[in-house]
């Protein structure tokens, strides 16, 4: 049975995204003016990049992280081979930390050399970060590793998604990855006769961002809000 909705919420640990549509949408429709044939490669790449960044941001905001590791290379390497190296690195870490969660994005240097920004939920004593960096680098074995503590969950998603490469890359590899045990955002779609102001009032949260835009193919006006609890830290 096809579902109809005019309201969508995406819920994470850190915030709630609210979409209010002026026209009812039929669930399961994949239409999008930015992805239809004939709009050009550049537009499609930008749309794919935007979707990937949104996905990363939501998964980051759905989990708690203790550190960010930056994995670098001392020598040139292809993106395809570097992702194999990361898989091997994670497999070795599983023998130590077992059920740890991770999420990474690939950033390309000006020379085109990839390095990885990886969020983890590992609980370790960081009284001597330098020694821990050396320990991780010995497992990684391709270059140095920089370790940064995460003390404030707010803004971590935007912080790591900015590293997502902005340049077109000739590769079939995804430029991000995450463990299967990461929490995923909850998505709710429904028909709601209330307008956006009524919904926001009842939710009783702080609006930290809002915008509006139009879906080109059906002229559907969308009101978009990001909401947070006052005590998110």
């Amino acid at each position: 049975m096809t579902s109809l909705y005019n309201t969508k919420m995406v819920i994470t640990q850190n915030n709630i995204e609210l979409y209010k549509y002026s026209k009812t949408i039929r669930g399961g429709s994949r239409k999008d003016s930015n992805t239809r044939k004939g709009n050009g490669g550049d537009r499609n790449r930008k749309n794919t990049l935007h979707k990937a960044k949104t996905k990363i941001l939501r998964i980051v905001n759905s989990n708690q992280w203790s550190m960010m590791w930056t994995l670098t290379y001392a020598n040139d390497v292809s993106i395809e081979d570097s992702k194999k190296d990361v898989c091997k690195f994670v497999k070795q870490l599983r023998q130590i930390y077992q059920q740890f969660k991770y999420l990474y994005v690939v950033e390309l240097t000006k020379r085109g050399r990839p390095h990885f920004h990886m969020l983890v939920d590992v609980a370790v004593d960081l009284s001597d970060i330098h020694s821990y960096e050396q320990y991780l680098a010995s497992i990684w074995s391709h270059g140095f590793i920089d370790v940064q503590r995460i003390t404030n969950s707010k803004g971590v998603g935007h912080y790591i998604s900015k590293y997502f490469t902005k340049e077109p890359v000739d590769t079939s590899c995804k430029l991000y990855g995450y463990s299967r045990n990461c929490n995923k955002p909850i998505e709710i779609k429904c028909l709601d006769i209330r307008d956006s102001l009524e919904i926001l009032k009842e939710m009783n949260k702080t609006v930290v961002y809002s915008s509006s835009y139009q879906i080109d193919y059906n002229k559907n006006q969308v009101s978009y809000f990001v909401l947070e609890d006052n005590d998110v830290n």
Side-chain angles (χ1 to χ4, degrees), residues 64 178 217:
Q64 293 294 322
Y178 53 89
Y217 77 88

Side-chain angles (χ1 to χ4, degrees), residues 26-85:
R26 186 179 299 274
S29 173
R30 305 297 293 178
K31 277 190 175 182
D32 189 311
S33 62
N34 290 332
T35 58
R36 287 183 299 167
K37 216 180 228 185
N39 282 320
D42 286 343
R43 191 172 186 181
N44 287 340
R45 278 193 293 270
K46 288 180 180 178
N47 186 63
T48 299
L49 180 63
H50 173 73
K51 287 183 176 180
K53 284 188 172 183
T54 299
K55 184 175 184 178
I56 291 167
L57 183 60
R58 288 173 176 170
I59 294 176
V60 171
N61 284 333
S62 297
N63 294 271
Q64 293 294 322
W65 309 100
S66 61
M67 289 178 280
M68 184 174 77
W69 301 341
T70 301
L71 287 60
T72 68
Y73 278 90
N75 301 300
D76 292 340
V77 64
S78 69
I79 293 177
E80 289 81 3
D81 286 342
S82 70
K83 289 195 66 174
K84 292 177 184 177
D85 292 336

Side-chain angles (χ1 to χ4, degrees), residues 96-146:
I96 306 166
Y97 300 122
Q98 298 181 350
Q99 297 301 316
F100 85 103
K101 298 177 184 178
Y102 67 86
L103 177 146
Y104 68 79
V105 299
V106 183
E107 181 186 15
L108 297 181
T109 64
K110 292 181 180 179
R111 296 175 56 184
R113 186 180 296 175
H115 58 275
F116 295 80
H117 300 280
M118 179 181 286
L119 295 174
V120 298
D121 69 342
V122 174
V124 297
D125 179 9
L126 289 180
S127 57
D128 187 350
I129 288 184
H130 181 64
S131 294
Y132 188 60
E133 289 172 336
Q134 290 181 318
Y135 169 69
L136 291 175
S138 69
I139 302 173
W140 171 238
S141 74
H142 299 289
F144 72 84
I145 291 183
D146 177 74

Side-chain angles (χ1 to χ4, degrees), residues 101-204:
K101 298 177 184 178
Y102 67 86
L103 177 146
Y104 68 79
V105 299
V106 183
E107 181 186 15
L108 297 181
T109 64
K110 292 181 180 179
R111 296 175 56 184
R113 186 180 296 175
H115 58 275
F116 295 80
H117 300 280
M118 179 181 286
L119 295 174
V120 298
D121 69 342
V122 174
V124 297
D125 179 9
L126 289 180
S127 57
D128 187 350
I129 288 184
H130 181 64
S131 294
Y132 188 60
E133 289 172 336
Q134 290 181 318
Y135 169 69
L136 291 175
S138 69
I139 302 173
W140 171 238
S141 74
H142 299 289
F144 72 84
I145 291 183
D146 177 74
V147 173
Q148 298 289 330
R149 294 185 181 92
I150 294 176
T151 58
N152 192 329
S153 62
K154 190 175 181 179
V156 172
H158 289 291
Y159 184 74
I160 195 168
S161 64
K162 78 177 183 179
Y163 288 116
F164 204 79
T165 183
K166 300 179 180 65
E167 299 300 324
V169 179
D170 185 17
T171 178
S172 59
C173 290
K174 288 194 301 184
L175 300 180
Y176 64 93
Y178 53 89
S179 57
R180 292 180 181 178
N181 60 344
C182 281
N183 298 325
K184 307 302 188 299
I186 298 170
E187 187 174 280
I188 298 173
K189 297 177 180 179
C190 63
L191 282 171
D192 196 320
I193 62 173
R194 297 173 298 172
D195 62 28
S196 56
L197 291 179
E198 290 179 287
I199 296 174
L200 291 171
K201 184 177 180 180
E202 183 170 318
M203 294 178 75
N204 193 28

Side-chain angles (χ1 to χ4, degrees), residues 205-224:
K205 294 182 181 292
T206 301
V207 177
V208 296
Y209 178 80
S210 64
S211 67
S212 60
Y213 58 93
Q214 183 173 275
I215 300 174
D216 292 341
Y217 77 88
N218 65 356
K219 308 301 181 184
N220 199 342
Q221 192 69 25
V222 185
S223 297
Y224 172 73

